[in-house]
Amino acid sequence: MTTNRAALADAYLNELRTNSYPGRGIVIGLSEDGEQYIQVYWIMGRSENSRNRVFIAEDNGFLRTEARDPAKLTDPSLIIYYPLKHLGGAHIVTNGDQTDTIHEALQQGGSFEGALATRTYEPDGPNFTPRISGLTDLADSQFAYKLSILKSAGNSEDQTLRHTYTYEKALPGFGHCIHTYEGDGNPLPSFTGEPRLVPLRGDAETIAGTYWSLLDADNRISLLVKTIRKNSGETGLVIINKE
């Protein structure tokens, strides 16, 4: 079973390697030693505005995107946001300003799912980019982590398709990956199916290097790996910015 799982996970890494534009992506899982939850998040871009970004870590443990060259920033609405926030033992990672929606809901005693019920896909037709989100909550013993995608039905505004995946148990050395697009196209086709099983081998720096190397060299922009120690809640962060 373990061999088959590893082969399946490695197969999806090969798919990512040949995918020129998976867009923004999230991986959540568990370190090989079973001691730390792992969150991976990356951003990609094709336009000059999208590529004009870097990840900036704040002293409070939050992380934001920021214009690398403010003079070249033309539209901040969908590219400047907080990918990472936390509240106590709840660690949020998303591809947009729904990070704030989830964070505010948790502050008020609400839920991950309830917060996302108030949101929809991004208003960037004809792509209608999916909103992808993840949560690891050390205080909730009923699940290890959750992933969500809010996407349009066939690149139309007919309805929002809402999918939440709850993983009750994390598997050492593995995680699940979800990203915004199936690949390049016009319009860009939304991610389909369930989050894919992927490996999480080595320490945070090794994991960061592995996923960074898979992303198209022209389109990749930034990547982070956050570690969350299960027993103490201590966190760590590795950031790669292309520029």
Side-chain angles (χ1 to χ4, degrees):
M1 177 66 74
T2 302
T3 301
N4 292 341
R5 183 182 296 147
L8 181 65
D10 286 338
Y12 198 66
L13 286 195
N14 289 329
E15 288 189 37
L16 277 177
R17 184 175 287 109
T18 59
N19 187 341
S20 64
Y21 204 64
R24 286 164 277 174
I26 295 173
V27 177
I28 303 183
L30 193 61
S31 61
E32 287 183 293
D33 62 9
E35 297 297 323
Q36 298 182 98
Y37 287 113
I38 305 290
Q39 294 183 337
V40 182
Y41 178 61
W42 71 75
I43 59 175
M44 304 181 76
R46 299 182 301 176
S47 68
E48 183 179 17
N49 190 51
S50 290
R51 291 178 174 179
N52 183 30
R53 288 180 289 172
V54 291
F55 284 161
I56 302 293
E58 297 183 349
D59 292 340
N60 58 4
F62 294 0
L63 179 139
R64 69 181 188 274
T65 61
E66 186 173 281
R68 178 175 55 83
D69 183 350
K72 294 181 178 180
L73 182 64
T74 58
D75 180 8
S77 61
L78 294 176
I79 67 170
I80 304 299
Y81 57 90
Y82 279 88
L84 293 183
K85 282 191 174 183
H86 63 88
L87 181 69
H91 298 267
I92 306 159
V93 54
T94 90
N95 74 326
D97 65 8
Q98 71 268 27
T99 303
D100 301 333
T101 306
I102 298 167
H103 188 258
E104 290 166 8
L106 296 181
Q107 284 181 312
Q108 297 168 11
S111 66
F112 178 73
E113 293 86 350
L116 290 171
T118 69
R119 301 303 303 269
T120 184
Y121 45 80
E122 295 184 351
D124 63 340
N127 297 317
F128 300 115
T129 298
R131 291 189 187 273
I132 55 174
S133 309
L135 177 69
T136 302
D137 190 349
L138 300 180
D140 193 330
S141 61
Q142 292 188 324
F143 73 97
Y145 53 92
K146 297 180 180 182
L147 288 167
S148 165
I149 183 168
L150 309 177
K151 63 181 181 178
S152 69
N155 293 94
S156 74
E157 296 181 87
D158 293 341
Q159 60 180 326
T160 303
L161 305 180
R162 302 174 181 276
H163 303 285
T164 301
Y165 303 90
T166 300
Y167 298 90
E168 297 177 353
K169 181 180 179 181
L171 306 172
F174 294 94
H176 287 88
C177 173
I178 196 167
H179 43 86
T180 52
Y181 309 125
E182 279 296 290
D184 210 341
N186 187 23
L188 289 160
S190 295
F191 180 90
T192 61
E194 298 181 3
R196 308 306 203 276
L197 184 72
V198 291
L200 291 170
R201 300 190 181 107
D203 59 14
E205 288 79 6
T206 301
I207 293 169
T210 296
Y211 283 89
W212 183 251
S213 71
L214 297 176
L215 302 177
D216 182 84
D218 292 328
N219 294 325
R220 65 190 181 189
I221 299 172
S222 297
L223 179 145
L224 66 87
V225 176
K226 181 178 181 178
T227 58
I228 308 158
R229 192 159 291 278
K230 293 171 66 176
N231 291 334
S232 66
E234 179 184 1
T235 63
L237 189 62
V238 174
I239 296 173
I240 299 176
N241 285 315
K242 185 175 182 178
E243 301 294 345

